Each structure stands twice: as structure tokens, then as C-alpha cells.
Amino acid sequence: MTRSSLPLFDADLLRPAVVDAFAKLDPRVQWRNPVMFVVYVGSLFTSALWLQALAGHGEAPAWFIGAVTLWLGFTVLFANFAEALAEGRARAQAASLRGMKKTVVAKKLAEPRSGAPWTQVPGESLRRGDVVLVEAGDLLPCDGEVIEGVAAVDESAITGESAPVIRESGGDFSAVTGGTKVLSDWIVVRCTADPGESFLDRMIGLVEGAKRRKTPNEIALTILLVALTLVFLLVTVTLLPFSIYAVNANHAGVPVTLTVLIALLVCLIPTTIGGLLSAIGVAGMGRMLLANVVATSGRAIEAAGDVDVLLLDKTGTITLGNRQASAFLPAPGVSVAELADAARLASLADETPEGRSIVTLARQEGSAHEPAADPAASFVAFSAQTRMSGVDLPDRLIRKGAADALKRWILETDSAWPEAVVRHVEAVARRGSTPLVVAERTSLEAGSPARVLGVVELKDIVKSGIKERFAQLRRMGIRTVMITGDNRLTAAAIAAEAGVDDFLAEATPENKLALIRQTQAEGRLVAMTGDGTNDAPALAQADVAVAMHSGTQAAKEAGNMVDLDSNPTKLIEVVEIGKQMLMTRGALTTFSIANDIAKYFAIIPAAFVATYPQLGALNLMHLASPDSAILSAVIFNALIIVALIPLALKGVRYRALGAAVLLRRNLLIYGLGGIVAPFVGIKLIDMLLRLMGWT
């Protein structure tokens, strides 16, 4: 699910943006953008010079000074408008989220258990650690963890998905979000956030432009722009005494005026990128939210654009994730029906798609027993430590799980590990499927003999188009690593089919963390996804960590992004959005600098032709007059900001290109375009001014 995009120039957004543009004329606000602050101060100086001209003591015609002042003011207003429009779009998104917040009456329990007495309290009064009962039809009053019970929850208010999700105590699906609705049954929830600190509150705060902090790259670019502005300021200040000296020395010509010098300064400094820089950052966070991903900061989005390595889970990301039992491969001396029956008994309590598929296939293979559990059966749940599950029956123990885990279980009793089973496991793994070994002990005594019954083949399917996506990432210089709990043979087969660059087999939380640290030690930025508590250490270590909304609270707190769709594949889209923001900033910076270079040919000859008539040879555009040239350059400098607002908000088109190719492309399109555009634009404005009789 993705949220619907707002139109770029929606009437409901334009009016407040215009008002905010004027409100941002407050010097305390303008000071935050040093480049535009220089333009702001320049417009104040020219305003004073205009008033002086009206009094009959002007250094230039009043209409000229007034026109320069007006367009300098427009330059500031247009930059303010770009930022205000981006912030307005973010506030509109925040408003839609704020509409989800409802006043909730909570059933606060006296003790952290079901059946305990409860009292009704306002949801706003709940604190971290409080325990509440939530029944069918109730809204969840706080973010929290389910500590008892199981219920179907409607999370469409947050995720946009209408299908209910199951939330239960324990495991990776215990986290619940305040404002969502319980549809059936009941749950006991321990609150994990204080009022104002809920997931919804954080979403609202983060998408509002006013709450955005500048990213490191944005700060670095701002410092560069300030440095360029200071250089041009010093250059411009020194031009006045040089002009006066030249006129006095030659006894001819007219010194350059303050109005012209201010206009020159504004056209020299990087006002285009300076006016759009903040809007680019705000829009980047907005685009991330449109993808149903909430970033904790602009820093996280920026880091996504710089990512070198992607760590991707195999199941659900690279493959469809719904592994299905496809074949029973019995050991020597064991029939298919005997293996199928044992696998079925071990899977009766397994509600995973894999477990249910084993039961279904066993029926098809003629399992002798009805699919019902023995009342005396004791089921053994799967764990990451044992990597096995099974059932304890009165007359035997049955286990199924990873080959290496079952081998240890078998060898503990000094029983045989058949070579035929080894060959089955290797053959299944080479096909890219997952082998599950089934074994049994016919005696409940410790150390009693065991025997291997055979192998169950679980097939998984690589997602359509995923190989092409990985090829695109490779062209961009991004290395992909598949993370899986499968053995190395299975992992290698899936990795080859999917087209990933590398893989980590038999993955544990410890070696995931070790892999991230090793990769970062090589100077690379790492991105990964996760949803469980065991993923939290790796998520906290990764540079870009996308936690699934359906996951645990620990995972969401460790990540710097939350995917509301809980789609592991979203990591690729997150990287693309991050790169798009960096590409947009780079493209507009290139355009701005090239744009300034072109403007030199318009305004410098016009500014000093009265002092140095020889500069008239540089009037390549054949502009009507010096006043027209200066005014045309100032007008173009203001209008180009407006023209680039849609590009700043939407971002440049994302292309899966390497850094070198991307640089050449930006230089060709935005560099060359930045040089050509002023020549065309300034000439057209000059012609228009001539037609209007202003020159």
C-alpha cells in the first residue's frame, strides 16, 4: 500500500504557502539560510536607495532602483515559497495522521494478567509500564506489547491495509500500535510509550517540515554555499573602490553604483540551490512517507542514498516465502508412507505454511492416520537454538529440522547417519530447496537408539523480476548479500538463481552483527531489514535499518526507519528514494553553479561598461542597455527558483546508474542546461522589457 500523492500545486496548499512565504521574511527566520539572508539584506539596502532616489538624490533612476528592489524581494519570497510549499505538503500528511488520533477510554488492569480487576481511565493518562485489557471492538489506547492473549487487529489506520493482522503474546508479532482496533477476542497489553511519544505522535512530528533537522551532507553543502557567498561578497565590495579609482585615473567614465553592485552580488552567489535546498530535504521525507516508510530523520534518508551494501533476508524478500513441501525422500528401509506419517505427526501443531504443507502432502501420499493429534502427544516447538521441532508420543519421539541439528540429535545416541540421507540433503540443497530431516526414537529412555526416516523437500520460489532489480543495484555500485538460515548448498543455489553478490548461510544474530561490523570496517555503509527482537542488535549497528511495523517493539526502536507495509523488499525502494534525494540535490547544485557562470556574461559587462567601455565586447547576448541587462539578470535569477520548485519537490527521475555515469549525465543535462538556460531566459526577458518600453 502507498499513500496517495498530493498534487504539486494544490489550491489548499498554495494559499497557506503564500502566507508563510511572507511570514518567513522575519530576519530571525531568514538568518537560517545564509545565502538568501544576503539577498534579503541586499533588498533592504536597495529599498533605502530607492527612497533616496524618490527624494531626488538617487545614484540611478528611481524606476531602475525600484525594479531591482522589487525583484530582489521576489527572489527571497520565491525561496520562502518553495520551502513553505514543501513544509505545507508535509503538514498535510501530518494532518491526515493527526486525524487518526482519537480519544480512547482504557481498561487499566490492577495486575498484569487477565481476569484482574480493571478501572476505566482516559487513554492520555496511561504511562509506560501500565497494563490494559483490550477487547473486541475497543481501540488500543497506547503503543505496547501483548503479554497475554491473541486477537485480530485492524491496523488500516496506520498501514492502509484493510486485512486484519494477528497479534499475540510472545514471538515477533506482539507489538501493537495505539489507535488501531481489536476486531476479535481480547489481549492484555503493556504500554511501552508515554503520552506524546507514541508511534503515531512520532510520525506526526517527523513528517512536519518544521521538525526537520539538516543532514550532514546538507550542512556540508550549506557551508560550501556560505563560503562561496563570502568570497563573492568580498569581491563585490572591492569593486567599488577599483571603479572609483579607474574613473579618477582616466578622467572618464562613471563609477559603478551600489544598486548595480548589489544586483551583481545576488546574481553571482548560488541563490538557486540556496533557495531550494531546504525544500529538497523536506520533500525527501515526504516521498519516503508516500512509500509508507517513516524515517526517524533526514539523516537516515541521506544514509540510504549512500548505501554500499544491502543485507536482505531470503524468505519473503528474495523468495516468495511460502515454502511448500514437494517431496518425501525416504531413507533406506523406510517407505514413503512411513516417512510421510512421521512428518505429519511432527507438523500437526506447526501452523506455519511449511508445517501445513507437510500435513497436506502427507495426506496425498497416503498417511495411515487421520490428521488429528494424540491426546497424549506433547509437541516441541521450533527454536533458533535447537533448529528442530517435533512431537513426543507415548511410544516414540519424532523430530524434524535442519540436517546438521538432526545429525547431532542422532549421533548423541551413537546411531547411524545414513549416507543415502546425506545424498538426499545435498541433492535438495543443490536444487535450491530446503531439506528437512525427519528422525525418531522408539524408546523414551535417554540415549536410546534413533533412526533417520528421510528428508522432506521444501521448495521456495524466487520472486519474479528480483534478479533484474539486483542487476540494477549492481550497476549503481551496490553489493547485495542474502541472509538465510539455510545450509550453504541451499543458500548458494538460491543466491545464484536470484543474482545476489554474496550470501550468509546458517545465519544467527551473532554472525549477522559480525558481518555488518566487518563490512563497515571496510568503509562501507550497510542497510538491512528486520522484525524480530533477535534482529535488534544488527538493526542498531546498521547504517540504514528498516524495521517492520508488524515486528517487535525492540526491532522498531533499534531501526531508524519503520516500514508500515512490513514488506522486506521495501528496502530496495528505500535506497532508491535516498539516492533520488541525493541525485536531486546534486543535479540542482550543478545547475545552480552553471547558471551563475552564464549570468556573469550578462551582468558583468553591463555593470562596468560605463567604467570600462572595452567590456562592451563581452555583451554576447546583444542586450538592449546596461540597465536592461542588469534587470533581466535579476528577474531571471528570481524566476528560475519558481521554475525549479516542481523538480525540487518531485525529485529528479531515478535511474539505476553508476556514480561515474550519473556524474557525466548530470554534467551534460544540468551543467549544460544551467549554462544555456540563462542565455535564453535573460535574452527573452530583455526583449520583453524592450517591448514594454522599460529600456
Side-chain angles (χ1 to χ4, degrees):
M1 175 267 174
T2 52
R3 301 177 186 275
S4 55
S5 178
L6 291 168
L8 279 179
F9 297 105
D10 185 85
D12 293 333
L13 299 179
L14 287 176
R15 287 188 291 271
V18 171
V19 174
D20 285 349
F22 283 93
K24 289 177 179 289
L25 292 175
D26 186 333
R28 294 169 296 182
V29 177
Q30 286 297 312
W31 174 251
R32 300 171 190 169
N33 189 337
V35 176
M36 300 313 300
F37 183 73
V38 171
V39 183
Y40 178 79
V41 173
S43 68
L44 296 179
F45 269 110
T46 57
S47 296
L49 293 172
W50 177 63
L51 293 174
Q52 187 183 50
L54 290 176
H57 305 287
E59 60 175 12
W63 73 268
F64 174 74
I65 302 175
V68 171
T69 301
L70 180 67
W71 283 100
L72 291 183
F74 279 150
T75 304
V76 177
L77 284 173
F78 292 157
N80 290 349
F81 175 77
E83 183 179 22
L85 186 59
E87 292 175 350
R89 290 166 62 84
R91 282 195 294 269
Q93 292 172 325
S96 67
L97 295 173
R98 205 174 274 111
M100 300 176 190
K101 298 188 67 174
K102 299 179 176 66
T103 302
V104 180
V105 177
K107 300 170 183 175
K108 184 178 179 181
L109 292 168
E111 300 177 18
R113 60 177 178 83
S114 61
W118 54 266
T119 55
Q120 287 191 338
V121 299
E124 295 81 6
S125 67
L126 295 173
R127 296 293 185 271
R128 185 189 297 266
D130 290 342
V131 180
V132 296
L133 172 67
V134 191
E135 298 176 301
D138 294 346
L139 291 175
L140 280 151
C142 62
D143 291 359
E145 294 273 359
V146 179
I147 61 174
E148 189 177 349
V150 57
V153 181
D154 177 10
E155 295 187 344
S156 59
I158 302 295
T159 67
E161 294 290 346
S162 58
V165 295
I166 302 300
R167 293 289 178 259
E168 58 187 331
S169 59
D172 294 340
F173 299 96
S174 61
V176 290
T177 306
T180 57
K181 186 176 183 179
V182 172
L183 299 179
S184 66
D185 303 294
W186 57 269
I187 47 177
V188 176
V189 177
R190 178 179 286 113
C191 296
T192 56
D194 292 326
E197 299 177 359
S198 69
F199 180 72
L200 198 57
D201 289 318
R202 285 185 286 127
M203 283 177 67
I204 293 169
L206 291 168
V207 299
E208 288 184 317
K211 303 288 180 78
R212 191 185 70 91
R213 293 184 178 180
K214 289 186 176 181
T215 63
N217 283 350
E218 194 173 344
I219 292 172
L221 182 56
T222 301
I223 293 172
L224 174 62
L225 298 180
V226 170
L228 288 174
T229 301
L230 287 174
V231 169
F232 285 124
L233 179 62
L234 292 173
V235 169
T236 306
V237 168
T238 59
L239 289 176
L240 181 60
F242 274 116
S243 176
I244 295 173
Y245 173 79
V247 170
N248 292 334
N250 296 326
H251 304 288
V254 180
V256 65
T257 64
L258 288 176
T259 303
V260 170
L261 285 177
I262 292 170
L264 174 64
L265 173 63
V266 170
C267 291
L268 289 180
I269 64 177
T271 53
T272 305
I273 185 62
L276 297 173
L277 187 59
S278 180
I280 294 170
V282 176
M285 295 194 73
R287 284 195 296 276
M288 196 66 76
L289 185 63
L290 289 176
N292 250 21
V293 177
V294 180
T296 59
S297 66
R299 182 190 297 262
I301 302 174
E302 192 170 86
D306 287 327
V307 159
D308 301 299
V309 178
L310 289 186
L311 302 187
L312 301 158
D313 280 331
K314 184 202 74 172
T315 306
T317 305
I318 295 173
T319 64
L320 293 175
N322 53 345
R323 295 183 298 181
Q324 302 290 307
S326 61
F328 293 116
L329 307 173
V334 181
S335 67
V336 172
E338 187 179 359
L339 171 60
D341 183 58
R344 185 193 64 79
L345 288 172
S347 304
L348 286 177
D350 188 351
E351 292 300 321
T352 65
E354 294 91 339
R356 291 194 294 269
S357 74
I358 291 174
V359 173
T360 301
L361 184 63
R363 293 177 188 168
Q364 296 171 358
E365 295 292 339
S367 176
H369 299 276
E370 292 296 320
D374 190 320
S378 175
F379 291 96
V380 179
F382 176 87
S383 72
Q385 287 73 35
T386 64
R387 300 175 69 212
M388 299 188 297
S389 63
V391 61
D392 294 345
L393 297 170
D395 58 342
R396 60 176 174 161
L397 308 179
I398 304 174
R399 295 291 183 270
K400 66 178 175 70
D404 57 337
L406 265 294
K407 186 176 183 179
R408 288 194 298 271
W409 191 72
I410 290 288
L411 297 180
E412 285 174 359
T413 64
D414 295 325
S415 301
W417 183 256
E419 283 297 321
V421 171
V422 175
R423 290 193 295 272
H424 284 323
V425 169
E426 291 177 352
V428 170
R430 281 194 296 270
R431 290 194 292 270
S433 300
T434 302
L436 290 182
V437 177
V438 181
E440 68 172 0
R441 291 180 185 172
T442 54
S443 174
L444 304 185
E445 296 181 5
S448 58
R451 71 169 178 152
V452 181
L453 299 177
V455 177
V456 181
E457 181 176 359
L458 298 178
K459 293 189 71 173
D460 204 350
I461 301 173
V462 173
K463 289 183 176 179
S464 176
I466 198 72
K467 190 170 186 177
E468 289 73 17
R469 295 292 295 276
F470 289 149
Q472 290 180 350
L473 293 171
R474 193 174 298 110
R475 287 196 296 271
M476 297 173 63
I478 297 175
R479 180 168 168 261
T480 52
V481 181
M482 182 183 75
I483 308 292
T484 177
D486 293 336
N487 61 65
R488 289 191 61 82
L489 284 175
T490 301
I494 295 290
E497 185 179 354
V500 296
D501 298 307
D502 201 356
F503 63 89
L504 176 66
E506 300 174 358
T508 63
E510 291 77 18
N511 53 30
K512 283 184 189 178
L513 185 60
L515 176 62
I516 293 173
R517 287 173 173 171
Q518 179 186 342
T519 306
Q520 290 173 330
E522 297 170 357
R524 299 172 178 266
L525 294 183
V526 179
M528 71 165 291
T529 60
D531 59 1
T533 301
N534 63 344
D535 292 323
L539 287 171
Q541 182 66 36
D543 301 284
V544 177
V546 183
M548 302 295 101
H549 177 63
S550 62
T552 62
Q553 190 68 26
K556 287 191 279 190
E557 289 178 356
N560 49 25
M561 295 188 188
V562 176
D563 177 22
L564 302 181
D565 294 332
S566 300
N567 177 10
T569 313
K570 190 71 70 65
L571 181 60
I572 299 174
E573 190 173 349
V574 166
V575 171
E576 291 176 352
I577 293 173
K579 287 200 173 291
Q580 186 187 36
M581 188 179 79
L582 295 182
M583 289 164 60
T584 302
R585 189 184 297 156
L588 291 184
T589 301
T590 302
F591 183 92
S592 180
I593 294 173
N595 184 56
D596 291 338
I597 294 172
K599 285 183 292 188
Y600 301 164
F601 290 95
I603 198 167
I604 291 180
F608 296 99
V609 71
T611 306
Y612 304 101
Q614 298 85 347
L615 290 177
L618 295 179
N619 185 13
L620 303 179
M621 300 185 212
H622 302 289
L623 303 177
S625 66
D627 288 350
S628 176
I630 293 167
L631 189 56
S632 297
V634 171
I635 294 174
F636 176 84
N637 194 63
L639 293 179
I640 197 65
I641 295 176
V642 179
L644 293 175
I645 288 176
L647 187 62
L649 297 183
K650 290 180 65 176
V652 301
R653 184 181 175 186
Y654 170 78
R655 296 178 185 272
L657 301 172
V661 177
L662 189 61
L663 178 61
R664 288 197 299 269
R665 185 175 179 276
N666 276 353
L667 288 175
L668 179 63
I669 296 177
Y670 297 99
L672 184 60
I675 292 174
V676 172
F679 280 96
V680 176
I682 291 172
K683 181 61 179 180
L684 290 175
I685 294 171
D686 175 73
M687 294 170 61
L688 183 61
L689 293 177
R690 190 185 306 177
L691 289 173
M692 296 173 62
W694 284 25
T695 60

